[in-house]
């Protein structure tokens, strides 16, 4: 994650009075970018629980960078393959052989799959996403000094219509390559 100092340098400011605001804008920029591409960039260790599907494929609903454990109704599972195969981030697990996820349900209750792992796209922000966070945070910071209401079209004194600002095109060009594709 870019630092407040890096954002100040990017903006060309030396005063530290807005450091709290700048820190918040860096976090906001990352959140906006992650929401736009539907993925978390910096992995965190978490345990997630899923209803076991009837078939052999379990969609993870997010990027799984590293698997620590997989369990079906609290029993360890090792007969799975990742999609994609090899290294993460993974988006699905398949039971190998003839096994099915929900094949062991007992007492009429649904089975649950519990996965502990490093959830996210990468261990740290890719360099281009890091730059996009800086750029978007700077864009958001500069908006604070704009006195115009820019969320709808405005008519200038000259009669020209000024359209509202949009998500910066250069940031969109960087981050949209990371947009998660549904399988």
């Amino acid at each position: 994650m870019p630092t407040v100092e890096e954002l100040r340098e990017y903006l060309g400011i030396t005063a530290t009075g807005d450091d709290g605001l700048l820190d918040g804008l860096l976090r906001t920029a990352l959140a906006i970018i992650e929401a736009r591409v539907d993925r978390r960039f910096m992995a965190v260790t978490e345990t997630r629980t899923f209803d076991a599907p009837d078939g052999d494929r379990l969609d993870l609903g997010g990027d799984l960078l590293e698997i620590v454990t997989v369990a079906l109704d609290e029993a360890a599972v090792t007969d799975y393959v990742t999609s994609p195969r090899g290294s993460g981030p993974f988006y699905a697990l398949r039971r190998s052989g003839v096994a099915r996820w929900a094949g062991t349900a007992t007492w009429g209750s649904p089975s649950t799959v519990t996965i502990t792992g490093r959830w996210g796209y990468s261990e740290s922000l890719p360099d281009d996403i890091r730059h996009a966070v800086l750029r978007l945070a700077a864009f958001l910071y500069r908006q604070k000094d704009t006195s115009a209401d820019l969320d709808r079209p405005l008519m200038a004194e000259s009669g020209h219509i000024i359209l509202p600002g949009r998500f910066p095109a250069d940031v969109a060009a960087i981050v949209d390559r990371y947009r998660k594709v549904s399988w």
Side-chain angles (χ1 to χ4, degrees):
M1 176 79 151
T3 65
V4 169
E5 292 77 20
E6 290 171 299
L7 182 54
R8 267 196 267 115
E9 182 179 338
Y10 186 85
L11 288 164
I13 59 177
T14 56
T16 60
D18 282 344
D19 280 3
L21 174 63
L22 295 175
D23 183 58
L25 291 175
L26 285 167
R27 294 176 195 286
T28 298
L30 178 59
I32 290 169
I33 289 169
E34 288 179 334
R36 183 178 177 103
V37 299
D38 191 25
R39 66 177 7 129
R40 175 189 289 165
F41 283 101
M42 296 186 303
V44 295
T45 300
E46 292 180 343
T47 298
R48 296 187 185 178
T49 302
F50 303 86
D51 291 332
D54 290 332
D56 67 342
R57 177 187 163 120
L58 174 66
D59 290 315
L60 300 174
D63 296 319
L64 177 57
L65 190 60
E66 177 187 359
I67 298 170
V68 176
T69 61
V70 178
L72 177 62
D73 292 333
E74 299 183 20
V77 173
T78 58
D79 59 340
Y80 63 84
V81 293
T82 59
S83 292
R85 290 186 183 220
S87 61
F90 310 114
Y91 57 84
L93 299 181
R94 288 190 187 276
R95 293 295 297 268
S96 55
V98 295
R100 298 173 75 78
W101 287 108
T104 61
T106 58
W107 302 102
S109 64
S111 296
T112 58
V113 178
T114 305
I115 302 172
T116 300
R118 298 283 297 155
W119 293 88
Y121 182 80
S122 61
E123 286 298 334
S124 60
L125 284 180
D127 288 342
D128 55 347
I129 295 298
R130 185 178 174 78
H131 173 75
V133 170
L134 274 173
R135 167 70 176 96
L136 183 56
F139 172 81
L140 295 171
Y141 179 77
R142 289 182 185 117
Q143 283 185 328
K144 77 174 185 57
D145 294 326
T146 303
S147 61
D149 186 5
L150 294 179
D151 66 344
R152 58 186 163 270
L154 299 171
M155 184 173 296
E157 289 181 25
S158 64
H160 292 93
I161 301 216
I162 302 170
L163 295 176
R166 296 191 175 178
F167 194 85
D170 58 322
V171 175
I174 293 168
V175 304
D176 286 349
R177 296 179 308 196
Y178 289 89
R179 194 176 296 267
K180 189 167 45 173
V181 178
S182 298
W183 300 100

